[in-house]
Amino acid sequence: MKNGRGRHWRIKTMWRNLSKYSPLFVVLILSCVAFLLRNIYSLEKLDCKASLYQLQQSITAPFRTRSPGQLERNWSNCSSHGLVLSPEEAVEQEHLLKSIAWPEPHLPVSSLHHSSSPSSSSFSILPLENDREWRVGDHLEVLVHMRDFRDRPKQHGGDFLLARLHSPELGAGVVGHVVDHENGLYSVLFWLPWAGKAHVEINLVHPSEAVQVLKRLREDNPDRVYFKSQFRFGPFSETTICNLCLSTQLPSCNYTNHHTGEPWFCYKPKLLSCNSRVSHSKAGYLKHLITSREELFFQRLVNLKVPIPSSGLDSITVLKETEEKPNGAANLDIFKPAGFYYKEVWRPTNDVLLRQFDDTAAVTRCLEGKVLRIYGDSTVRQWFEYLTTALPDLKEFNLNSPKNVGPFLSVDSVHNILIEYRCHGPPIRFSSVATNQLRYVADELEGVEGGSNTVVVLSIWSHFSTFPVEVYIRRLRSIRAAVLRLLDRAPGTLVVLRTANPQDLDTEVSLYNSDWFSLQLDAILRGMFYGLDVVLVDAWEMTLAHHLPHALHPPPPIIKTMIDFLLSHICPEDTSAFP
Ligand SMILES: *[C@@H]1O[C@H](CO)[C@@H](O)[C@H](O)[C@H]1NC(C)=O
Ligand SMILES: *[C@@H]1O[C@H](CO)[C@@H](O)[C@H](O)[C@H]1NC(C)=O
Ligand SMILES: *[C@@H]1O[C@H](CO)[C@@H](O)[C@H](O)[C@H]1NC(C)=O
């Protein structure tokens, strides 16, 4: 009894003492309940001995396993995110979109039988009577007849063809210009720059039916490549999905660029704040986006980058120009390629003479006292790597940057050369970029001093292929404005744009990175920078005209061509040195 009463008394006193702290307890208990409720899913898996590490892992787990496709999203909601076009911008955008309009069949084609078949199709060299004589500077016209797998002529346009004229014996190649007559017939025009044998090569990259699928994916699944960010605070970390556009059903963090207004969002982490984002990376690719029937339109060796045979001759012999009738550049108005290969060397058709920088000392002499600022995707990181590897005195400065991501810096302190590479801002599918290194090109350009010793190189295309074209236009608009400001405050700055290039395609790659997407973006780039004081390195033609297979990252001989072209603009041939 006594004991019982004593215990009762002790408990009472304890309770009295504790009750002083009751408000604190209530707060503590409520926050625990709130925490439990918010993390019921995570804590289910938690055992009593859970370490902080396990806690952190289990909090991250639901984000890792949830497919972003499970969340309903409506991309048209995003087009309004801060996007208010001025009347001039709206007119330009409309004009640009019109310029890349692609012909469509009148009725959708859903069966392989009725789709374009390269092996049933054929090309013929015009005129058909074989008494025509071709001379250097003339144009060659080729007519392509597209047929379906049942051998019936196609009645509509929209097939994606790429054409090349080449001569392995002469190390020569030049691209052709394809004109879609929208009735199953296509003309291909070639300018004839060399004397000798010339073989015609026409490839069907995608039948029109496949292009329709790509168009639909671009409209309906712009999030088929998705991204993630890691958030970290002390020992806690969380990972959430990020994109240009997210479902409004979940709370998100807004990382829209204050300066350019370009949108970027991540789902809000459960525990951590939006300010604790530490990195950005590619999260994955949505799968099963097309039906098994549609997959048949993307078959290697069948209808994906497959040559179209000739119905007769597939080559011609080009004669030298005659004295009386020089053709020369006059005919280039019809179709003027950016250049052509001859004896394995790129010959630009504009006024600049391409110098060969075979000797690394010549490259160093050309770059002496220069700063090269290279911004963009991995296809221009190749330039940084090429120069850093080639030049003996140019040493990469160790910034402890992640491999392939950067930023990278190379310095030749003897010759006063500095080369910098930095990737462009999101969307970028790199492995993991620290948030504090995630910069927009337009913002970087604002910090460039510029002047005649500065060369700025830009390459922005590949990471935009899965998004609506408006997203790319918006990005280029802000970069173009920054380029113009740079040229205004520091005239003499050389600004170089590297264009897109065709690449190796299979079914999977086509859905995310098809040359068709690249071609469309490339046309936008050329349109938006047309007439401005920038140099275009035509990676498209340099890759397409070359005999090496297409690759997202073109092989060294093609990179050398691009670098020689770049250096020829930095250091044009000085004829006064050779009296
Ligand atoms: C799109 O926006 C509308 C209104 O702003 C909203 O009601 C709707 O839920 C949004 N849809 C998605 C999928 O986020
Ligand atoms: C997306 O939202 C817009 C308006 O916010 C609506 O007109 C459109 O039909 C929606 N699309 C889909 C696929 O839900
Ligand atoms: C995101 O932030 C930008 C400005 O920083 C603002 O204009 C925009 O409306 C915000 N978007 C959303 C969806 O909150």
Side-chain angles (χ1 to χ4, degrees):
M1 226 10 207
K2 196 176 177 210
N3 271 352
R5 203 180 311 136
R7 194 167 63 229
H8 183 69
W9 180 82
R10 272 199 306 275
I11 289 172
K12 254 175 117 175
T13 357
M14 200 172 79
W15 180 246
R16 231 187 349 256
N17 283 339
L18 282 177
S19 63
K20 281 194 285 197
Y21 303 104
S22 62
L24 192 68
F25 268 111
V26 171
V27 170
L28 210 64
I29 288 166
L30 280 181
S31 23
C32 283
V33 169
F35 179 83
L36 280 169
L37 285 177
R38 283 182 69 180
N39 293 287
I40 272 181
Y41 179 74
S42 338
L43 291 172
E44 270 168 11
K45 293 191 209 143
L46 210 62
D47 66 29
C48 308
K49 285 187 234 149
S51 64
L52 274 179
Y53 175 74
Q54 283 167 310
L55 179 66
Q56 158 193 328
Q57 289 304 301
S58 60
I59 289 169
T60 317
F63 292 97
R64 270 197 259 105
T65 48
R66 176 191 288 152
S67 152
Q70 288 167 1
L71 288 169
E72 188 219 340
R73 71 198 52 220
N74 181 337
W75 203 268
S76 69
N77 273 19
C78 297
S79 59
S80 60
H81 281 162
L83 179 69
V84 186
L85 293 184
S86 72
E88 298 80 42
E89 288 171 343
V91 167
E92 183 190 34
Q93 175 156 310
E94 196 179 325
H95 176 76
L96 288 167
L97 292 177
K98 214 178 264 174
S99 75
I100 58 164
W102 197 264
E104 294 188 9
H106 311 296
L107 293 170
V109 176
S110 59
S111 95
L112 184 67
H113 298 307
H114 299 105
S115 72
S116 305
S117 155
S119 56
S120 315
S121 305
S122 62
F123 72 80
S124 39
I125 290 173
L126 298 183
L128 291 173
E129 322 78 64
N130 208 10
D131 54 359
R132 167 81 201 258
E133 194 174 78
W134 284 278
R135 292 191 180 271
V136 171
D138 282 347
H139 279 85
L140 168 69
E141 195 185 343
V142 170
L143 192 65
V144 184
H145 296 253
M146 293 304 297
R147 293 188 196 81
D148 67 15
F149 281 88
R150 294 254 168 93
D151 227 21
R152 283 166 310 205
K154 295 286 289 191
Q155 307 291 337
H156 60 82
D159 297 307
F160 177 21
L161 305 176
L162 286 178
R164 174 171 97 103
L165 191 71
H166 66 115
S167 163
E169 308 81 37
L170 298 170
V174 67
V175 305
H177 175 64
V178 179
V179 180
D180 185 348
H181 297 297
E182 300 193 27
N183 56 2
L185 297 178
Y186 297 77
S187 290
V188 184
L189 280 176
F190 293 101
W191 177 61
L192 302 175
W194 66 81
K197 201 87 169 159
H199 304 268
V200 175
E201 187 185 293
I202 314 272
N203 276 289
L204 177 72
V205 182
H206 292 305
S208 60
E209 293 75 16
V211 174
Q212 291 313 303
V213 173
L214 297 179
K215 251 189 191 176
R216 189 196 71 215
L217 290 178
R218 193 171 63 185
E219 300 302 318
D220 295 353
N221 302 92
D223 53 351
R224 63 196 182 281
V225 174
Y226 53 99
F227 304 87
K228 61 184 179 186
S229 265
Q230 198 191 31
F231 297 78
R232 205 164 57 219
F233 183 75
F236 292 95
S237 85
E238 294 182 56
T239 302
T240 72
I241 295 297
C242 309
N243 219 322
L244 268 161
C245 179
L246 296 174
S247 163
T248 50
Q249 293 159 354
L250 286 180
S252 56
C253 299
N254 183 352
Y255 299 110
T256 298
N257 182 304
H258 288 294
H259 165 216
T260 66
E262 284 160 291
W264 193 256
F265 300 90
C266 296
Y267 286 120
K268 193 177 173 326
K270 290 189 165 190
L271 297 176
L272 303 179
S273 83
C274 291
N275 293 334
S276 60
R277 185 174 68 137
V278 292
S279 69
H280 161 95
S281 52
K282 176 182 75 186
Y285 295 84
L286 291 185
K287 306 280 179 200
H288 316 298
L289 293 168
I290 62 173
T291 65
S292 45
R293 270 182 163 212
E294 288 170 338
E295 247 169 57
L296 300 177
F297 299 145
F298 294 90
Q299 298 176 72
R300 266 185 128 145
L301 307 175
V302 176
N303 52 12
L304 178 57
K305 276 213 183 175
V306 172
I308 291 171
S310 163
S311 61
L313 287 181
D314 65 356
S315 65
I316 59 167
T317 300
V318 184
L319 305 175
K320 288 203 181 71
E321 281 174 283
T322 55
E323 297 258 326
E324 314 83 70
K325 191 178 147 281
N327 284 306
N331 278 343
L332 282 175
D333 292 344
I334 304 174
F335 161 60
K336 181 186 181 184
F340 61 96
Y341 286 103
Y342 186 69
K343 298 194 173 150
E344 306 287 343
V345 173
W346 183 251
R347 327 265 165 162
T349 50
N350 63 11
D351 300 333
V352 171
L353 200 67
L354 189 92
R355 295 179 59 192
Q356 289 292 298
F357 288 85
D358 295 331
D359 165 19
T360 58
V363 180
T364 300
R365 265 200 311 281
C366 171
L367 291 179
E368 185 151 11
K370 303 275 185 213
V371 176
L372 254 72
R373 303 207 181 270
I374 304 176
Y375 304 117
D377 53 36
S378 58
T379 65
V380 81
R381 190 184 67 220
Q382 285 187 285
W383 293 20
F384 176 90
E385 288 159 359
Y386 183 94
L387 288 169
T388 302
T389 310
L391 300 185
D393 292 330
L394 190 67
K395 297 277 183 280
E396 186 168 346
F397 195 83
N398 185 359
L399 299 174
N400 283 317
S401 295
K403 192 175 183 300
N404 293 339
V405 172
F408 298 118
L409 183 69
S410 285
V411 177
D412 173 348
S413 52
V414 177
H415 303 96
N416 204 28
I417 301 170
L418 185 145
I419 307 183
E420 175 199 22
Y421 166 79
R422 187 178 272 288
C423 69
H424 64 66
I428 186 135
R429 305 175 200 155
F430 277 9
S431 52
S432 183
V433 188
T435 315
N436 61 356
Q437 298 293 0
L438 200 61
R439 317 260 177 93
Y440 285 79
V441 171
D443 288 341
E444 286 302 295
L445 291 177
E446 302 300 350
V448 171
E449 190 181 2
S452 54
N453 287 332
T454 302
V455 181
V456 170
V457 180
L458 308 176
S459 171
I460 298 111
W461 58 280
S462 183
H463 300 258
F464 286 82
S465 53
T466 47
F467 294 99
V469 178
E470 290 86 344
V471 170
Y472 187 62
I473 295 177
R474 169 199 278 244
R475 178 61 51 95
L476 290 190
R477 198 185 288 128
S478 67
I479 292 174
R480 182 178 60 185
V483 164
L484 292 177
R485 277 193 294 273
L486 170 64
L487 291 175
D488 259 353
R489 73 172 176 272
T493 312
L494 180 64
V495 178
V496 177
L497 299 181
R498 183 209 189 277
T499 73
N501 59 264
Q503 59 186 292
D504 186 27
L505 298 178
D506 61 21
T507 311
E508 188 87 3
V509 171
S510 299
L511 305 186
Y512 307 100
N513 269 4
S514 165
D515 290 346
W516 184 77
F517 295 128
S518 307
L519 181 77
Q520 293 244 298
L521 297 185
D522 202 46
I524 298 284
L525 176 93
R526 289 165 196 257
M528 288 183 74
F529 282 88
Y530 182 78
L532 302 186
D533 190 12
V534 297
V535 171
L536 209 68
V537 176
D538 205 317
W540 187 271
E541 286 198 15
M542 289 174 180
T543 308
L544 186 55
H546 205 276
H547 56 82
L548 283 170
H550 300 170
L552 173 59
H553 300 114
I558 298 177
I559 301 298
K560 180 181 185 296
T561 298
M562 296 180 195
I563 295 289
D564 282 347
F565 189 84
L566 169 76
L567 296 172
S568 299
H569 278 85
I570 300 175
C571 316
E573 190 116 67
D574 183 7
T575 41
S576 65
F578 308 96

